[in-house]
Each structure stands twice: as structure tokens, then as C-alpha cells.
Amino acid sequence: MLTTNRQILLILVSLAIAAGQSIVFSVLPPLGREVGLSELHITGLISASALIFTLCSPKWGRLSDKLGRRPMMLVGIGGYTLGSLLFAIVFELGMHGWLLGPVLYIGIVLTRLVQSAVMSATPGAILAYVSDNTPVESRAKIMARVSTGNNLGTIIGPVVVGVVTIFGLTVPLYFSTAFAALAFFAVLLVIEPSSHTKVKPLVATERLSWFDPRIRSYLAVGVGFFVCFAMIQQTLAFSLQDQFQLSGERTAQLTGAALVCLAGSSIFAQSVILQLMRFKPDTAIIIGLLSTVLGYAVLLIAQNFVLYAVSMLFLGFGLGMAMPNVSAAAANAVCNEHQGAVAGFTSAIPATGFAIGPIIGGGLYQIQPDLPKISGALLALSLLALFFLRVLKKP
């Protein structure tokens, strides 16, 4: 059984990584514009790094089945720490004019891609560690609890951005490095090397894939969720800045505030609703999809920041209800020997969505600013209809 102390540790590790990521998401649009990058350059960078994460995460998950969860956590967090520092330094060089044009962009892209490849070891190892030490009937609840770390990090990151950007747009990136370093040492000190280091080897040569019939519907709806989410998150700063004619610093602050609303609502869903009520996974996923559709409906009519914030509350609630249940349902569908592998796939869901969503959202935004909102709303409605039909067809 997963002890309370280790649950807290996993929450803190997830918090540190999510805080670093949300710092990057909040500061990258105005920072990218400061060094001469276009919207498509910026969203393309997010998509490329997410694609690398998607490709590498399942491989790290399978490796954790052989070598153990703790080593993969340490590899991922250590790589993320070093990558965050290098990412900040490259932008610092660009801000001072020491790196320019294609050389600067290549440096930014390479740094981010290597960071994504290595950091993808950690989320799957965390999910597999939870599955290893949690009964089937409690997995959704415990995964929701551990996932609150992601949402707390999403809140803390923008707060950091809002406070420290007065000292410079690159300063928040150094904070993300510090968060990750603390997480590394926490895992190193708290989780013992002998504590569930590996699982039994597979008897068969069977290998999970994205299209395995046991898990493919859950993976598909999870990816769809994050495509919807990523299209808006990665164009939110552009939309706020252009619609309300904001400075770079003010854009970062309001983007951070909107993401705080989203994360707070998600935390409420995970730490209150899912802890108190016993929803079946499919039911919770449908509720999440309904909330996402409502969020897009509000976003389409938003003419002030208050309505932007309301839309983020609906979108956050939808994610909070759905994603822990997607992970738990996929884990429950396979045997113990496949927990690392399935965790690799479910932890790759956000990255897969961010590999697709930002590039679509950025491209559509350059055509017409409302197109990402319209496309996201249509996708959310389609997911709701398809998943509802799937539930009705189940025996």
C-alpha cells in the first residue's frame, strides 16, 4: 500500500515538474516575441518537444518494468533540472544579443528536445509506482490525489511568473530549475533503492501499443482532451495580448491568472469531488467532457477577462474529472507486469495532445484568432458523442 508520506512525496515531485512546465508555458510567448520568434515558431517548439516526449515516454515505461521506478524518476528529474538550466541560459544569450536568428532558434529547439526526451522518464514511473502499490478499487482516487501536484504546480508556476518577471523575462526559468533540483533530492533521499525497484519479468513477449483494444479508447479520449486543452493554452497569451492590447509583462501576468483558475478548478475536481464521490471511470470521463464543452462555449463569447477566467474554470474541472479516471481505467485493463508500459502511454497523453494542439492552434490563430476556439469546441463535442456511444454499446 502506498503510504501517506510517499503520496506526499509523489505530489511534491509532480508539483515541481508541473510548476516548471507552467512557468515555461506562461513566459514563452512574450519571451519568444522578445527574441524575434513568431507565434508559429513558439507553438511549433512546444509541439516538437511534446512529440519527443510522446515517443520516448512508452520506452521509459517499459524500462521501468525492468529496472524499477526509482531509477527512472531520478533520470527524468535530473535531466529536467539540467535541461531547464540550459534552456534559460540559451534565452539569456538571445536577450543580450549574443545568439541571434537561426543559431538562437536551433539552440532553443535542441535544448528543449533533449530535455523533453529525458524528462519523459518521470511521469510514467510515478504512475506505475502508484499502480504497483495501490489496490484496483482505489487507483482512480489515489491517482487523482497524486495528480493534484500537477495542478498545484500549474498554480504556483504562473504566480512565480507574475512576481519575478519584474526582474526579467528569463528569471522564471531559473526558478523552474530550482524546483526540479529540489524534487531530485527529495526522491534520492526519501525513496529507498530497495523499495519496489522492479517487477517480475513478462512471461510472454506481448508488448502493449497505442492500439491495444484494452486501452485504445481511453488513450484516444485522453489525447483528444489534451488537444482541446493545448490549442487554447498555447494561444491564450496571444489572444489576451492582441484582444486587450497588453504589454509582454501584463500578458504573462493575465495568462498566469487564467491558468491559476484552470488549475484551481481541476484541484477541486480531484481533491474534493473524486475523493468524496464514487464515480465509475466512464461516468467521470463523460462529466469531464461535458464541462469541457461548456468551457469552450463561454470562451467563444468572452469579451472580457472575467469570462476568460470562467471558461478556464470549466476546462479545468473537465480535466480534473477525466484524466485520473483515464489513467486508472487503462491501468485496471492490463496485468501487473504491464503497469510500467501502460503508465508510459498514459503519461504520454498530455505530450501527445501538446504535439498536435499547439501547432494546429498556432496555425489557425494566424489565419483567424477565433478559429482555435471554434475547432476546440467542435472536437470536444465530437469526443463527448463518440465516448457516450461507446459507453452505451458496452454490455
Side-chain angles (χ1 to χ4, degrees):
M1 188 69 180
L2 194 62
T3 64
T4 300
N5 287 341
R6 296 197 177 191
Q7 287 184 42
I8 293 173
L9 171 65
L10 296 179
I11 290 171
L12 292 176
V13 172
S14 299
L15 184 154
I17 294 175
Q21 291 294 87
S22 65
I23 285 172
V24 172
F25 293 150
S26 296
V27 80
L28 188 56
L31 180 58
R33 282 180 166 178
E34 286 290 327
V35 297
L37 302 183
S38 70
E39 292 90 344
L40 198 55
H41 281 134
I42 296 167
T43 54
L45 173 63
I46 298 295
S47 292
S49 61
L51 177 60
I52 293 296
F53 189 105
T54 298
L55 295 174
C56 293
S57 185
K59 298 181 186 299
W60 287 116
R62 294 187 193 103
L63 194 58
S64 78
D65 282 333
K66 299 177 182 179
L67 302 180
R69 315 309 184 197
R70 181 180 183 267
M72 296 303 100
M73 289 186 207
L74 291 174
V75 167
I77 301 170
Y80 185 72
T81 303
L82 181 59
S84 294
L85 179 60
L86 293 176
F87 194 62
I89 290 172
V90 171
F91 265 110
E92 196 75 57
L93 295 174
M95 293 286 285
H96 287 85
W98 296 329
L99 285 179
L100 297 171
V103 175
L104 171 62
Y105 191 59
I106 290 171
I108 291 170
V109 170
L110 289 179
T111 304
R112 185 67 177 173
L113 293 187
V114 172
Q115 180 192 34
S116 295
V118 181
M119 70 172 283
S120 62
T122 301
I126 291 175
L127 287 177
Y129 190 84
V130 172
S131 293
D132 292 339
N133 295 279
T134 306
V136 170
E137 62 273 11
S138 302
R139 277 181 184 159
K141 181 179 289 189
I142 301 301
M143 285 183 175
R145 192 176 299 161
V146 171
S147 294
T148 59
N150 292 321
N151 296 300
L152 287 170
T154 303
I155 290 176
I156 291 173
V159 170
V160 169
V161 171
V163 171
V164 305
T165 46
I166 60 174
F167 301 108
L169 284 173
T170 58
V171 173
L173 299 178
Y174 294 108
F175 272 78
S176 69
T177 302
F179 288 151
L182 289 174
F184 177 86
F185 286 109
V187 172
L188 188 66
L189 295 174
V190 175
I191 296 186
E192 300 175 1
S194 60
S195 177
H196 197 90
T197 55
K198 54 187 175 181
V199 299
K200 295 179 181 179
L202 293 174
V203 176
T205 59
E206 176 191 12
R207 174 175 288 191
L208 286 184
S209 75
W210 284 96
F211 304 103
D212 189 294
R214 294 169 293 180
I215 61 174
R216 64 189 177 194
S217 60
Y218 295 110
L219 297 181
V221 75
V223 169
F225 253 109
F226 272 95
V227 170
C228 289
F229 175 55
M231 278 199 298
I232 290 306
Q233 183 175 348
Q234 293 307 303
T235 58
L236 178 63
F238 302 139
S239 183
L240 289 171
Q241 187 172 34
D242 295 340
Q243 187 171 351
F244 303 121
Q245 299 298 304
L246 304 175
S247 66
E249 288 77 10
R250 187 59 176 161
T251 298
Q253 290 169 353
L254 285 187
T255 301
L259 294 178
V260 166
C261 293
L262 186 147
S265 181
S266 188
I267 288 173
F268 176 74
Q270 292 173 339
S271 61
V272 177
I273 303 300
L274 291 179
Q275 302 303 315
L276 295 179
M277 303 184 70
R278 295 185 177 181
F279 290 109
K280 293 181 179 180
D282 287 351
T283 302
I285 292 169
I286 288 173
I287 293 172
L289 285 166
L290 281 169
S291 185
T292 301
V293 170
L294 288 174
Y296 268 101
V298 174
L299 193 61
L300 282 167
I301 62 171
Q303 295 298 318
N304 55 56
F305 183 72
V306 172
L307 287 179
Y308 271 92
V310 171
S311 72
M312 293 299 110
L313 291 175
F314 280 115
L315 292 175
F317 188 81
L319 276 174
M321 289 296 294
M323 292 316 300
N325 284 281
V326 166
S327 297
N332 293 345
V334 301
C335 61
N336 290 338
E337 289 78 13
H338 278 310
Q339 289 304 314
V342 77
F345 285 113
T346 54
S347 67
I349 284 174
T352 306
F354 273 91
I356 301 169
I359 198 70
I360 294 176
L364 291 175
Y365 188 89
Q366 289 191 329
I367 297 171
Q368 211 283 331
D370 285 334
L371 283 179
K373 302 173 187 178
I374 296 170
S375 300
L378 292 174
L379 177 57
L381 280 170
S382 299
L383 287 171
L384 176 61
L386 292 173
F387 196 78
F388 189 73
L389 289 174
R390 174 195 174 280
V391 171
L392 290 178
K393 290 180 180 179
K394 288 180 69 175

